Every structure is written in C-alpha cells, then in structure tokens.
Amino acid sequence: MKYEVSEKGGETHSVELRELGENAYEVTLDGRTVQVDAARSGKTIFSILEDGRQFEVIIDETGAHGFDVLVGGQLLHLQAFDERSRLLAATGKAAVSGPQRVEAEMPGKVVKISAPVGASVQEGQGVVILEAMKMENEIKSPVDGTVTEIGVAEGQTVESGALLFVVEPPAGPGPPAADASP
C-alpha cells in the first residue's frame, strides 16, 4: 500500500509498504527499499529489525490520519494518507458524526487535563497529558468539537483502554425541517 507521509507542515515523502510474510515487510521510502521485521511488543510499541539493527518505535495515533512516532529519542508528528484518503481529503473533509471516545493506549498517570468539559477543541489539540514510560504524552482530540466528558482526574493512574475523554463534533446540517403550517 502506498502512502504520502509528512511531518505536520513539513516535506512530504512517498512510502510504500508491502507485507512479505508474518512480521516481514518491504518498506520503500522515497525510492530506497529496505526489508524489516516488525513485531508489536505492546499496544503502541513495535520492535524493528532492519539490516542487523534492532530498535523500538512507539506509534501513537492522534486523529484520523495523525501519528506521533517516537524513534531513536526523536518525536515526530506525522500525517499519513493512503491514496483513497488523499482523494477524500482533496474533495472535502470527511464527515465525522457522533461522540469520539479517546482511550488510553498504554497504562500511565494523568499529569494534566488541558481542556475541561465544555471546552471547544480543534483536531490535534491536546486534551490530556499522560505520563507513560517516563515520558509525557499529549493525548489530542481526534476531531474538532466540544469536550463532553473527562473520564479521568489529574494524578490518577489509568490502565490501557481506560476512557480519557469524549469529544462531540459539531452537529452538521440536519434533515430539512418539516413544514408545520396547517
């Protein structure tokens, strides 16, 4: 599958990912092809073997196409679009409906709640800061909307899968109103 990947506001790179077998992939980045062995070792942690080197990568989804990637001590804020998503994005923003629940990807401690219930947030705006694996991770809103529920408190320890917050996107145009005239 082909993707276009960019650091938010940065240069776009072409990435092609082809599965060769269990945990084996061929990755082509801007024309350079490597074979990697990638095994999930946690909910967001991947162990990578590439050309005799082993390293870990933490990948945290941050919205419909956003990812925070921690590799080699460097945190990258990436956006990835496959061909279908890129075409959809070019024709208009995909409609999201209903409350969007955001859950903890890994166990951790809630350090700060940046947007309380009732706050308006933009897609990618931080709502909760969660400390996990000795790092603070900003958990961002997946959509524009209003925070309608906070499922945690500052200082609370949470397990993977715990509800952090809910964001309700703005209501779109509804069906035409029925004619109430007699």
Side-chain angles (χ1 to χ4, degrees):
M1 179 167 283
K2 292 183 179 179
Y3 298 92
E4 287 187 0
V5 178
S6 63
E7 187 152 15
K8 291 181 180 171
E11 189 175 331
T12 298
H13 299 275
S14 174
V15 176
E16 184 170 351
L17 180 66
R18 191 165 68 96
E19 188 170 350
L20 302 175
E22 186 175 346
N23 298 333
Y25 300 90
E26 182 176 85
V27 180
T28 302
L29 173 63
D30 293 336
R32 179 180 171 261
T33 301
V34 296
Q35 293 187 356
V36 299
D37 182 284
R40 186 182 293 257
S41 58
K43 192 167 184 172
T44 60
I45 304 168
F46 294 85
S47 179
I48 308 291
L49 286 173
E50 186 256 325
D51 198 24
R53 295 180 317 133
Q54 188 275 331
F55 52 96
E56 289 192 339
V57 177
I58 298 174
I59 301 174
D60 187 21
E61 290 187 36
T62 60
H65 304 286
F67 300 90
D68 285 342
V69 178
L70 179 65
V71 58
Q74 184 176 9
L75 181 61
L76 304 169
H77 305 284
L78 303 177
Q79 293 180 310
F81 291 90
D82 60 22
E83 193 165 331
R84 180 177 179 272
S85 297
R86 191 174 48 80
L87 289 172
L88 283 172
T91 59
K93 195 165 187 172
V96 175
S97 63
Q100 302 295 303
R101 296 172 49 92
V102 176
E103 299 173 346
E105 297 273 333
M106 62 183 79
K109 180 180 177 182
V110 177
V111 175
K112 183 177 180 183
I113 296 172
S114 306
V117 170
S120 293
V121 293
Q122 303 293 313
E123 179 181 345
Q125 180 179 341
V127 177
V128 170
I129 296 176
L130 185 68
E131 182 181 282
M133 299 176 63
K134 300 180 181 177
M135 295 180 47
E136 290 189 356
N137 301 286
E138 187 174 47
I139 311 301
K140 300 173 182 172
S141 175
V143 295
D144 294 348
T146 302
V147 177
T148 58
E149 181 178 349
I150 298 286
V152 294
E154 290 182 0
Q156 180 182 347
T157 301
V158 297
E159 294 297 323
S160 179
L163 174 67
L164 297 176
F165 59 89
V166 177
V167 176
E168 177 87 32
D179 186 4
S181 62

